[in-house]
Amino acid sequence: MNKTSKTILLLLFVATNILAQQTTEIQLANEYYGQGEYEKARTLYEDLAKDFNNITLIHNNYYFLLLETANYNDAEKYIKKLIKRFPENLYYKLDLGLLIFTEEGENQSDIYFKNVIDDIKYDNYLVSITADYFVNKKLTQYAVLTFTEGRTALNNPYLFSLELANIYRIMNEKDKMVEEYLNYVIQNPANLSSVKNTLQTLLNKPDELQSLERLLYDKIQQNPQSEVYSELLIWVNLQQKNFYGAFLQARAIDKRLRSEGSRTLNIGMIALNNNDYNNAIKIFSYLIQNYPGSNNYLLAKMYLIRSYEQRVRNTYPIDEREIRNLVNDYNEFIKELGVSRNTLEALRNKALLHAFYLDEKDSAIAILEKIVETPRANPEIKSKSKLDLGDIYLLKGESWESSLLYSQVEKSNKEDDLGYIAKLKNAKLSYYKGNFKLAEEHLDILKEATTREIANDAMALSLLIKDNTVLDTSDVALQEYANIELLLFQHKTEQAKLKIDSMLTNFPNHSLTDELLWLKADLLKKEGKFTESISLLDRIVEQYGSDILSDDAYFSIADIYDRQLNEKERAMEYYRNFLTKYPGSVFIAEARKRFRELRGDFDAREQLVN
C-alpha cells in the first residue's frame, strides 16, 4: 500500500469517527430535549450547529428549544444565519416569522407573514408548503390566507378547495367548510359519494343541514344545469326526510338526462318505505302521467296502489269500501299486465288484503298457493308467500301449519334476511304459546341478524321476556300478555280489550302496565276513538316518562292530531315539544320533518324551485 492510499484510509477513518461521534451527540441532545433537560440539550445543539451539515438533523428541536425558553436573541441570530446561508429555504423564512409572532405578537408578525405569502403565491407547490406550515403551527388564519391568495394569483376560484375545507373543519367554521366541499365536488364530480359521506359525518345538527340546503338552493339558482348541486340537494332533503323536496330535484335531473323518471321512482320508493304515503302517491302519480310506456311506468302503477294501500291502512277507522277499491285496483293491474314478477307481487298484496282486512282467509290462501306453485315465480316471492301463508294459518288458529311453513322458509334461506324473518316468526309463535325459553333461543341468534330492523325486533321481544320472567317466575302475567298479542294478531279485538282490562285490574302496577296501556291506546285509535286513545297515551307519558314507551306515546299523540284529527296547530305544538323532550328518540328526524312541513318550510322551497 502506498503513502497516498494510507492517507486516504486514515482520513476516512477519522471522518467516520467524527460522524459517529456527532450522531451520538445528536441522539443525546434529542433525548435531553425530549426529557425537558433544556440546558444540557442546548449546550450540545450549539456545538453541533457550528457544522451546517448537522442543521437538518437538529434544527426543529434546537430552534423550538430557543423559543420555548424565550432565548429570542439567540434564536434570531441563529435563524438569520441560516437564511443567509440558505436564502432559498422557505421554512427558515417562515421560522423567522414564527419568532416575531412568539416574541412580539400577531401585529408585528402579520406584515412579515403577508410578505412571505405575497412572494410565493404564484407557485402552486410553495403555496401548499406554506399553508401546511401554518396549519402545523396552529396559525390557521394564515393558512387560509395563503390558499386564498394563491387561488386569486393563479386565477382559479376552485383551487385548494379540499385543503381549505379541511382547515375550516379544524376551525369549526362549518358554513365555509361546506362551501369549499362544494367547490371541490363541482370540479371533481366523481368524488360526490365521498363528499356525501364526509358531510353526513360532520353535519349532525338540524340547523347545519338546513344551512346546507339553503346554500344549495342558492347555487342551483346561479347554475340551474348543475347535476352535482341537484344530486346533493336530493341527498340533503333525504337526510331531512323531505321526500317531496328530493322529488323536485330528481324530477329536474330526469328531465335533463331523459332517464324516464328513474331517479324519481327511487325517491318515491324511499318515501313509501318511510311511510310518507301522501308524497309517495304524488310521486308515482307524476310518473304514470309523464312516462307512459316506459319501463318505470309499470313499477309506478304498482307502487301507487301500494301507497294508496298504506294510506288506507293508516287512516282510522279503516274503511272496508276502500279496501275493496284496492282489491279492484290490483285486479285491473294484474289483468293489464298478465303474469310477471311485478304482478305476482301485486297478487301477494291482494291476498293480504283478503286475509287481514276482509276476513276472506280461504281466498287469500288460494292466491298465495297459486303463487308458490307458479313455475315462473322466483324463489324470493315463493318464500315470502309461504311466510304469508304461515301468518294466515295463525289467523285461523292453526299454529302447527304456521310453524311448518316458517321452518320451510328458514331452512331454504338460512343466511338470508327471509330466513331471519322466518326464525323471528317462529320465535313469536313460541312466545304466543308461552314457551318463552324456546323463544329466547331463537331470539339470541336473531340479535346478530344482518338487518337492523330484525335485530331490533328480536332484542325488543327478548327484553320483554327477560324483564317479565326474572321477577315473576310463574310467568302468569307474561303468558296473559302474550295471549293478548296473539288475539290482536288474529284481529279478535273485543276479546283482546276484555283481557287487557282484566290484566290492568288483576295485575295493578305490574311492569307490563305501560305495555297494556299502549296496546289499548292503539286499539282505540284504530277504532277511531281518538280522544280516548290520547288519554291513555298521556297516561303513559305522565306515569311512565322514563320508560321505553314514553317517546312512542308522545309521538303518537302528535301523529293523531296531525294525521287523524287534522288539528295542525296542536300537532305542531307536540312535535316542537318532542324535539326538546326526546332528543335521542328514533322518531326525532320524523318529528322534525313533520314540524317543518306543518310550518310551511317545504312549501316555500317548492315555490322557489318551480
Side-chain angles (χ1 to χ4, degrees), residues 232-247:
L232 273 170
L233 192 51
I234 290 173
W235 173 81
V236 78
N237 277 312
L238 290 177
Q239 298 303 302
Q240 300 175 95
K241 294 197 171 186
N242 177 11
F243 303 113
Y244 193 73
F247 156 63

Side-chain angles (χ1 to χ4, degrees), residues 289-348:
Q289 183 178 353
N290 288 273
Y291 296 100
S294 70
N295 291 330
N296 292 323
Y297 172 78
L298 300 178
L299 285 171
K301 284 200 77 170
M302 186 180 73
Y303 284 118
L304 177 62
I305 301 170
R306 195 176 295 179
S307 301
Y308 277 121
E309 181 181 337
Q310 285 292 325
R311 187 163 72 178
V312 169
R313 290 167 61 176
N314 287 278
T315 303
Y316 304 113
I318 293 174
D319 189 336
E320 185 178 319
R321 291 172 302 176
E322 295 288 351
I323 299 294
R324 294 283 179 195
N325 289 337
L326 287 168
V327 169
N328 288 333
D329 289 342
Y330 278 125
N331 285 336
E332 289 179 12
F333 178 75
I334 294 161
K335 182 179 178 181
E336 180 183 352
L337 299 179
V339 177
S340 69
R341 176 175 180 175
N342 292 331
T343 53
L344 287 176
E345 191 65 48
L347 265 176
R348 177 174 164 253

Side-chain angles (χ1 to χ4, degrees), residues 173-191:
E173 294 191 23
K174 291 194 175 180
D175 285 348
K176 292 181 179 179
M177 174 196 75
V178 167
E179 180 83 49
E180 293 302 336
Y181 275 125
L182 295 184
N183 286 337
Y184 170 72
V185 79
I186 203 71
Q187 294 296 300
N188 302 275
N191 293 325

Side-chain angles (χ1 to χ4, degrees), residues 131-238:
D132 286 344
Y133 178 93
F134 286 131
V135 171
N136 289 332
K137 300 300 181 285
K138 296 183 171 53
L139 297 171
T140 49
Q141 72 276 23
Y142 288 111
V144 170
L145 181 64
T146 305
F147 280 133
T148 53
E149 287 290 310
R151 177 183 277 179
T152 302
L154 297 166
N155 197 29
N156 186 343
Y158 299 109
L159 203 59
F160 311 118
S161 297
L162 193 58
E163 293 89 341
L164 277 164
N166 289 329
I167 294 171
Y168 286 130
R169 178 179 176 179
I170 293 169
M171 298 170 74
N172 200 33
E173 294 191 23
K174 291 194 175 180
D175 285 348
K176 292 181 179 179
M177 174 196 75
V178 167
E179 180 83 49
E180 293 302 336
Y181 275 125
L182 295 184
N183 286 337
Y184 170 72
V185 79
I186 203 71
Q187 294 296 300
N188 302 275
N191 293 325
L192 180 60
S193 294
S194 174
V195 170
K196 285 180 183 177
N197 292 336
T198 301
L199 293 176
Q200 188 167 26
T201 301
L202 298 176
L203 305 182
N204 44 33
K205 295 179 181 177
D207 58 331
E208 292 169 350
L209 285 171
Q210 290 168 29
S211 177
L212 172 56
E213 182 186 2
R214 288 190 295 270
L215 177 60
L216 286 168
Y217 274 113
D218 290 341
K219 295 286 187 184
I220 288 173
Q221 290 293 304
Q222 297 163 16
N223 187 3
Q225 300 304 312
S226 170
E227 287 177 34
V228 169
Y229 292 145
S230 294
E231 290 282 6
L232 273 170
L233 192 51
I234 290 173
W235 173 81
V236 78
N237 277 312
L238 290 177

Side-chain angles (χ1 to χ4, degrees), residues 525 530-531 533-535 537-538 553-575 594 598:
K525 180 178 74 172
F530 302 121
T531 304
S533 178
I534 288 173
S535 177
L537 294 169
D538 268 329
Y554 203 92
F555 184 83
S556 292
I557 295 171
D559 179 72
I560 291 172
Y561 282 123
D562 182 7
R563 301 293 172 90
Q564 308 299 332
L565 296 173
N566 202 31
E567 294 186 22
K568 302 305 181 185
E569 291 299 323
R570 292 294 299 275
M572 276 186 70
E573 180 186 348
Y574 271 92
Y575 287 137
R594 293 197 190 182
L598 293 173

